[in-house]
Amino acid sequence: MTPNLVYIVVIGVLFAAGVSMVLERSLTRVLMGMILLGNGVNLLILLGGKAGTPPIVGLGPDEEMADPLPQIMILTAIVITLGMTAFLLALAYRSWAMSGHDEVQDDVEDRRIMQLAERDQGSGIDDVDHGVNR
Amino acid sequence: MLAVLVLHAVAALLAPFLVRGLGNRALYLLALVPGGTFVWALLHRAPMSETYPWVPHLGMDLALHLGTLSWLMLLVVSGIGAVVLVYCVRYFDRGDESLGRFAGVFLGFATAMTGLVVSDDLLLLYVFWELTTVFSYLLIGHKGQQAAGRRAAMQALVVTTAGGLAMLVGFVMLGHGAGTYRWSEIAAGPLPEGSAVAAVLILAGALSKSAIWPFSFWLPAAMAAPTPASAYLHAASMVKAGVFLLGLMGPLLAQAAPWRPVAVVAGVVTLLLGGWAAMRQNDIKLLLAYGTVSQLGLLTVAFGAAGRTAALAGAALLLAHALFKAALFLVVGIIDRRAGTRDLRELSGLARRTPVLAAIAGLAVASMAGVPPLAGFVGKESLFAAFEHGGTTDRLVLIALVAGSALTVAYGLRFLWGAFAVKPGVPEVAWKKPGRAFVAPAGLLSVAGLAAGLGASWLDRVLTPYGEMFGGEGEHLALWHGFGLPLLLSAAVLAIGGIVFATQLHGRPWPRQRIPQAESVYMRLMSAVDRAAVEVTGATQRGSLPFSLGIILVVLVILGSSTLLLGGVNWPAGIRLWDTPLQLVVGVAVVASALVAARSRRRLTAMILVGVCGYGIAVLFVLHGAPDLALTQFLVETVTIVMFVLVLRRLPIRFSARPLRGSRMIRNVLAVATGLVTSAMAYVAVGGRTATPISADFAEPAVSYGGGHNIVNVALVDIRAWDTMGEISVLVVAATGVASLIFRRSGALQRRRAEQGTQPARTGSWMRAADNPEARRQSIILQVVARLLFHTIVLFSLYLLFSGHNAPGGGFAGGLVAGLALTTRYLAGGRRELNAAAPVDAGLLLGAGLLVAVGTGAVAMVAGGQVLQSALLDFHLPVVGHLHFATSAFFDVGVYLIVVALVLEILRSLGAELDRQHDAATREEKRALEKQKEPVG
């Protein structure tokens, strides 16, 4: 199959824009980035099948029909995105209501472990006895 | 035998409920299961085999086999299990909440242990083996609040699991070499090639399980478990699993060179070290634990030597040890509970207070010491006989055995003295008299040791088939072998042991032994693992989302670009500009809005631009020939915009502070790089598609089999029905998640129910808005239009749902359209209007949808097809006419309901509840303001 330039450019731009938004801390912005990325991915999948008449039997000759398989996959992806968007929006709102902003904070537990690593200590869980005490 | 296993498992599952219902007495009922097994095993003598197919693809069967040794182990496991359960009734306080859990885990362990001894398939044996480890972990850590208990549990788990894994490798090597994993078949054939390594690995598993040096440190620590568990697991059954394996595999694997020397040396060392350490203990439970270690060493020598007489002696000793050691642990449990201490420096005068208990313990210790006519004597004398006639090595082993046995006598006496004797200068301990039911189990086991000794000839008769597996001639088990070296040694052992104890009693404390254990290695290893984990985690998990995502993307860029540049990729020859020029127009719009959205600092602007992008993609779908995608994308995009607006109206207008310029640069570079790599990958990937796609053949079966012309929708509910099922499950989860995030208090959910109940009375007034106080704030015209349109849109959504099989539409599109109808009502009239339009709970609707979808799948299965298989139905209805449809249409109905419910849930949560929270906050503020004014006025 010969690639289609418009698709390729659009995919690249959607990815780039999506990535630049996803790398920020505001949850709503991350979510918008994810939506853009998702659109880019859908288009990428669509690109894998040939274009043509709608894949409905009897609408045209079977040979000219667009490849239905990528479409089937994308349809699932679109609806899942809807569910994810709803959930993340609720999360963003909750975060805003609780703490006054919707920014994704650094993970506290990860921070603690980083500090332990800097101090060359173990995790300090009591299941491991560090000093050999006998 | 399978029935026995299933019965045990069922009892384990029921145990917590029975205990909750009946209290401690429930254990009597539960003890019937192992007790019944004991009786069953007594009546059915070995050998027996049963096979049930399990995983035929892997050639794995539930192959069970009961040989003589397994039969003996089954008797021990079930008999002592039943006795200990009866004992537990009194050991645990009435109303002890942890008893339910304990009983469940205890029976679970009994199940695994029973499975272990009867499995014939090595892999099955391994599964049960590890299950006993897990249950042991749970029992040791029974008092999870105590750090020592947790650490001991972890230690036992890590050591025995590591050994178990080594053993698994050994099993696989053995099974691979022999071409079967069935032990009865492997044992019948010659030793497979290269079994020496397998033998060592299996030994590692067996020795670590039986707490043999250098792995013995975990067993004393495991005494953190409740005493009944110690009696059962760490004296009678689980620690015997390793010895049992030695005995089971000995007849074949002893032919491998390392088997005998490794087992015998490790056994001898353990025998001596354990006995030595037991002399130093002041806690009588720990004393017994080290004694167990020592005795396990003795058993390892007996089975590891793999001779006829030695193995027979080992079997007898195994039984004897189980009886006397379990009895002693039960005695310790009674003392611990009734005197409140296990420290032999504090215990004094118990022999006078409770002579029965002292007699029971005395009998058990006599068996341990090898006093005739008890079971311990029978076993030990045969063991001496087994090493009587050999060369220098056997002589050395014999000397070690005598020394170890003498130590056993000494620490046995020390135990009796420590627990019961009157000690000068120590006040008599307070003693609450234990009931008969508490003492009886220990007594039963002690007397059983006597009975087994007196019935030595019977024991010899039933165990001889096991001894014969080793071939050659051998001694018999008997009480009286005549005068000879073994009898002399037995007498010497008693004498030396007595002297050692007597001298130690009045002399200095027993010296420490300084032979290294693997414990310090274990500690260092665990500490190193922990440190390494902290370093690795600290280096990779920085806790910052952008950082983590950045790492992933950098990897994507590097891997992608290097593959593209260096991987010998076939770049396509040409490129088309577009399929139709319209694509260019739409493409430019999408690109422009995406770029501006990425730069925008206002939430609403960014959101609208993202929406434009989505609509643009939908147009691209249309141009590509994907009407279903386009339809769904349009609808989803619309619902998304509504959602965003609902939430964003409460959030600040602008995004919060921008990142610093430097990090912005890095982000942009990474973004551009990702975009370029993805574009290049898309370019190459499309060029790489040369084969005929699988979907070329979808058209015909879609019509003939799926009963529809729209391939995409037919496939969604047919060949991809499982994916769709997963997808709607995600939607259900998302909807529930949204609701639980927004309705913060359970009170809010209850209020919501109540609100839904108070919808305006249905007096045929579906256009009335006057009774709605909120309505006055909203546009009447909009409301009327929304109501007028509502039913039409819903009807249209139903049309989409049912025509989806042949034309664009389907459950998703239909559900979204219906959801948009609800959205219109909500936007026009607020939450009362929404409740009037959809007087149902969204959760109910979600459940109904899931039920319909799953039900369709299940019906197909009941009807004899596969889950979610569709069938074509043709029938004639009066008035309506001829109907032709696929059963998958019902599945689509489920999808429809779930999508409607999702949108409804979004409107209720992000819409109505946010309104209410906002109103409440405003009212609160107003009230606060008024209050502030009052004192002034």
Side-chain angles (χ1 to χ4, degrees):
Chain A
M1 263 169 48
T2 341
N4 175 325
L5 183 66
V6 172
Y7 279 171
I8 287 172
V9 171
V10 171
I11 289 170
V13 170
L14 283 176
F15 264 84
V19 164
S20 82
M21 291 179 94
V22 159
L23 287 181
E24 290 199 20
R25 283 189 179 264
S26 167
L27 196 53
T28 35
R29 204 165 159 79
V30 171
L31 175 57
M32 290 174 196
M34 289 303 288
I35 295 175
L36 286 183
L37 269 175
N39 281 333
V41 173
N42 286 347
L43 215 52
L44 188 62
I45 299 175
L46 189 73
L47 193 58
K50 78 174 170 42
T53 57
I56 295 174
V57 181
L59 218 61
D62 279 4
E63 302 78 57
E64 284 175 24
M65 197 183 279
D67 189 348
L69 191 60
Q71 301 190 14
I72 299 167
M73 295 181 182
I74 297 170
L75 198 64
T76 311
I78 294 176
V79 181
I80 294 254
T81 308
L82 176 70
M84 186 199 70
T85 309
F87 184 76
L88 280 184
L89 270 176
L91 202 63
Y93 174 77
R94 174 88 185 233
S95 160
W96 179 81
M98 306 286 276
S99 56
H101 58 75
D102 67 337
E103 290 194 359
V104 185
Q105 296 297 311
D106 276 0
D107 191 282
V108 183
E109 183 65 17
D110 282 353
R111 277 286 182 78
R112 199 178 67 80
I113 290 178
M114 273 162 65
Q115 284 167 0
L116 284 177
E118 277 159 19
R119 278 185 265 139
D120 292 334
Q121 286 176 340
S123 66
I125 47 169
D126 53 25
D127 295 332
V128 181
D129 189 357
H130 285 281
V132 178
N133 53 357
R134 35 195 73 216
Chain B
M1 281 184 274
L2 189 66
V4 168
L5 281 178
V6 171
L7 212 61
H8 269 86
V10 170
L13 291 175
L14 289 182
F17 304 102
L18 280 177
V19 170
R20 198 176 306 153
L22 301 175
N24 291 19
R25 298 244 177 88
L27 295 188
Y28 287 131
L29 205 62
L30 292 169
L32 287 178
V33 175
T37 309
F38 179 77
V39 174
W40 176 84
L42 265 188
L43 297 178
H44 294 74
R45 198 81 68 67
M48 258 162 107
S49 284
E50 286 174 20
T51 309
Y52 306 90
W54 184 22
V55 195
H57 321 292
L58 296 176
M60 247 175 115
D61 294 325
L62 275 179
L64 309 177
H65 180 80
L66 200 63
T68 306
L69 189 64
S70 343
W71 174 78
L72 180 71
M73 274 298 281
L74 185 62
L75 281 183
V76 168
V77 168
S78 58
I80 296 189
V83 171
V84 172
L85 268 176
V86 168
Y87 172 85
C88 283
V89 174
R90 293 301 169 96
Y91 179 83
F92 284 92
D93 290 327
R94 205 161 289 165
D96 186 337
E97 299 217 335
S98 66
L99 181 60
R101 173 182 177 277
F102 177 85
V105 177
F106 191 91
L107 277 158
F109 170 80
T111 315
M113 198 62 214
T114 311
L116 193 161
V117 300
V118 300
S119 25
D120 192 23
D121 189 294
L122 290 184
L123 298 177
L124 187 64
L125 189 148
Y126 173 76
V127 170
F128 283 121
W129 182 279
E130 292 299 23
L131 275 178
T132 60
T133 304
V134 172
F135 285 119
S136 153
Y137 169 76
L138 292 174
L139 285 173
I140 298 174
H142 184 70
K143 295 173 199 143
Q145 311 89 321
Q146 293 172 4
R150 287 201 302 274
R151 191 185 305 157
M154 194 59 148
Q155 204 175 51
L157 184 73
V158 171
V159 173
T160 48
T161 311
L165 283 175
M167 187 185 80
L168 177 63
V169 176
F171 280 174
V172 170
M173 290 172 71
L174 202 62
H176 199 73
T180 172
Y181 282 96
R182 203 72 71 75
W183 176 250
S184 49
E185 289 169 16
I186 300 176
L191 192 67
E193 286 281 311
S195 290
V197 181
V200 171
L201 289 170
I202 292 174
L203 272 178
L207 298 186
S208 63
K209 190 83 165 180
S210 281
I212 298 300
W213 182 85
F215 306 111
S216 27
F217 58 90
W218 71 262
L219 184 56
M223 291 301 127
T227 302
S230 307
Y232 188 42
L233 272 71
H234 306 125
S237 56
M238 186 182 87
V239 288
K240 296 273 174 25
V243 182
F244 164 71
L245 200 69
L246 287 184
L248 184 73
M249 304 202 151
L252 180 72
L253 286 187
Q255 295 166 31
W259 186 267
R260 273 198 185 97
V262 171
V264 171
V265 169
V268 164
V269 173
T270 314
L271 170 68
L272 296 174
L273 288 184
W276 193 280
M279 290 301 289
R280 283 181 52 79
Q281 302 308 316
N282 288 325
D283 180 338
I284 50 175
K285 190 174 175 186
L286 271 185
L287 191 159
L288 286 186
Y290 279 104
T292 307
V293 170
S294 166
Q295 290 288 308
L296 287 167
L298 185 71
L299 289 171
T300 305
V301 174
F303 285 113
R308 179 171 172 169
T309 314
L312 197 60
L317 277 174
L318 189 151
L319 174 66
H321 178 255
L323 292 174
F324 67 68
K325 197 48 75 65
L328 289 177
F329 268 111
L330 296 189
V331 168
V332 166
I334 296 173
I335 293 177
D336 189 16
R337 300 290 288 170
R338 290 296 184 246
T341 177
R342 296 193 311 237
D343 193 323
L344 51 77
R345 288 163 302 188
E346 294 171 13
L347 289 165
S348 178
L350 279 191
R352 213 181 305 150
R353 305 289 290 274
T354 168
V356 177
L357 200 60
I360 290 170
L363 195 61
V365 167
S367 180
M368 177 161 83
V371 177
L374 293 132
F377 167 74
V378 175
K380 209 168 275 180
E381 203 175 50
S382 287
L383 188 59
F384 289 154
F387 289 94
E388 188 184 1
H389 303 295
T392 327
T393 335
D394 276 9
R395 286 281 155 77
L396 286 174
V397 172
L398 191 59
I399 293 170
L401 288 182
V402 170
S405 303
L407 273 175
T408 308
V409 174
Y411 72 71
L413 289 172
R414 182 176 157 79
F415 172 80
L416 279 182
W417 165 81
F420 295 102
V422 179
K423 282 155 220 153
V426 182
E428 281 201 8
V429 285
W431 178 253
K432 280 180 282 181
K433 201 167 181 291
R436 280 198 197 128
F438 200 8
V439 179
L444 182 66
L445 292 177
S446 254
V447 173
L450 177 64
L454 291 175
S457 56
W458 177 80
L459 210 56
D460 181 62
R461 209 168 49 246
V462 294
L463 292 182
T464 298
Y466 170 62
E468 280 168 354
M469 291 170 78
F470 291 90
E473 287 296 304
E475 301 280 335
H476 286 274
L477 294 172
L479 271 179
W480 181 248
H481 278 113
F483 294 102
L485 188 61
L487 189 65
L488 184 69
L489 290 177
S490 290
V493 160
L494 289 176
I496 301 172
I499 295 167
V500 168
F501 169 70
T503 46
Q504 193 261 334
L505 194 55
H506 302 291
R508 287 179 299 151
W510 196 258
R512 295 179 69 144
Q513 43 95 354
R514 300 193 182 279
I515 309 247
Q517 281 271 345
E519 183 168 20
S520 57
V521 178
Y522 168 84
M523 288 298 184
R524 286 211 191 95
L525 203 68
M526 290 302 279
S527 173
V529 167
D530 184 38
R531 280 285 305 128
V534 165
E535 285 297 331
V536 170
T537 314
T540 52
Q541 302 284 311
R542 309 301 290 186
S544 148
L545 182 64
F547 181 85
S548 303
L549 283 173
I551 296 281
I552 296 173
L553 290 167
V554 166
V555 172
L556 170 77
V557 168
I558 292 176
L559 275 187
S561 58
S562 55
T563 316
L564 287 170
L565 296 175
L566 311 171
V569 171
N570 291 325
W571 292 85
I575 190 163
R576 278 172 304 152
L577 292 180
W578 48 69
D579 296 323
T580 74
L582 207 52
Q583 277 182 338
L584 177 66
V585 179
V586 181
V588 167
V590 170
V591 164
S593 49
L595 288 177
V596 179
R599 296 192 56 79
S600 166
R601 301 312 304 172
R602 286 168 174 268
R603 288 177 206 268
L604 207 62
T605 320
M607 185 273 290
I608 290 171
L609 288 166
V610 169
V612 170
C613 248
Y615 287 124
I617 300 289
V619 177
L620 285 181
F621 286 154
V622 173
L623 296 175
H624 192 92
D628 275 296
L629 292 191
L631 181 60
T632 315
Q633 174 86 10
F634 269 119
L635 295 167
V636 163
E637 212 54 57
T638 311
V639 175
T640 305
I641 289 180
V642 171
M643 283 192 305
F644 262 105
V645 171
L646 288 177
V647 172
L648 291 192
R649 68 197 162 133
R650 300 278 172 249
L651 293 184
I653 295 174
R654 289 171 180 277
F655 291 113
S656 39
R658 304 191 70 172
L660 299 170
R661 182 181 292 271
S663 86
R664 229 155 64 209
M665 273 294 288
I666 298 174
R667 275 159 222 249
N668 289 342
V669 169
L670 191 54
V672 171
T674 314
L676 284 175
V677 168
T678 328
S679 281
M681 287 200 295
Y683 180 58
V684 172
V686 175
R689 284 215 63 169
T690 50
T692 316
I694 185 177
S695 46
D697 300 329
F698 278 11
E700 201 274 325
V703 179
S704 66
Y705 188 77
H709 292 269
N710 185 344
I711 301 176
V712 171
N713 279 342
V714 169
L716 273 178
V717 291
D718 199 296
I719 50 174
R720 270 177 68 87
W722 272 114
D723 302 65
T724 308
M725 183 68 92
E727 177 189 2
I728 56 178
S729 313
V730 170
L731 292 188
V732 169
V733 172
T736 316
V738 169
S740 49
L741 279 169
I742 299 298
F743 291 89
R744 266 175 273 169
R745 294 169 297 268
S746 62
L749 275 171
Q750 278 162 13
R751 190 192 53 244
R752 179 172 93 167
R753 287 230 174 82
E755 212 169 79
Q756 283 162 19
T758 58
Q759 26 156 328
R762 293 181 157 270
T763 49
S765 59
W766 60 280
M767 292 288 271
R768 277 174 55 196
D771 53 351
N772 180 355
E774 246 179 83
R776 285 173 218 132
R777 273 190 268 147
Q778 273 125 356
S779 154
I780 292 288
I781 298 179
L782 201 58
Q783 275 188 46
V784 171
V785 171
R787 287 186 178 203
L788 275 174
L789 283 178
F790 180 69
H791 297 86
T792 321
I793 306 181
V794 170
L795 202 63
F796 176 59
S797 80
L798 289 174
Y799 166 76
L800 281 180
L801 165 63
F802 289 112
S803 72
H805 247 54
N806 293 312
F812 286 119
L816 286 167
V817 167
L820 283 175
L822 290 173
T823 310
T824 329
R825 287 290 290 273
Y826 167 72
L827 291 179
R831 60 176 188 264
R832 291 192 179 239
E833 196 61 15
L834 178 65
N835 287 339
V840 282
D841 188 62
L844 211 64
L845 215 52
L846 282 173
L850 209 54
L851 188 72
V852 170
V854 174
T856 312
V859 165
M861 192 175 65
V862 172
Q866 290 189 345
V867 180
L868 292 170
Q869 186 176 350
S870 63
L872 295 179
L873 295 180
D874 277 285
F875 55 88
H876 201 82
L877 276 185
V879 186
V880 181
H882 187 73
L883 280 180
H884 168 86
F885 68 99
T887 50
S888 53
F890 290 114
F891 185 67
D892 234 6
V893 171
V895 173
Y896 175 91
L897 286 176
I898 285 176
V899 174
V900 173
L902 172 68
V903 179
L904 183 60
E905 192 66 87
I906 290 169
L907 292 174
R908 289 246 159 88
S909 306
L910 300 180
E913 173 65 11
L914 256 54
D915 288 347
R916 203 199 52 74
Q917 285 176 9
H918 182 72
D919 290 352
T922 325
R923 268 201 303 277
E924 200 70 23
E925 259 171 48
K926 238 184 236 166
R927 213 171 296 150
L929 273 180
E930 277 163 15
K931 259 192 190 154
Q932 274 180 349
K933 278 179 199 161
E934 264 169 25
V936 183

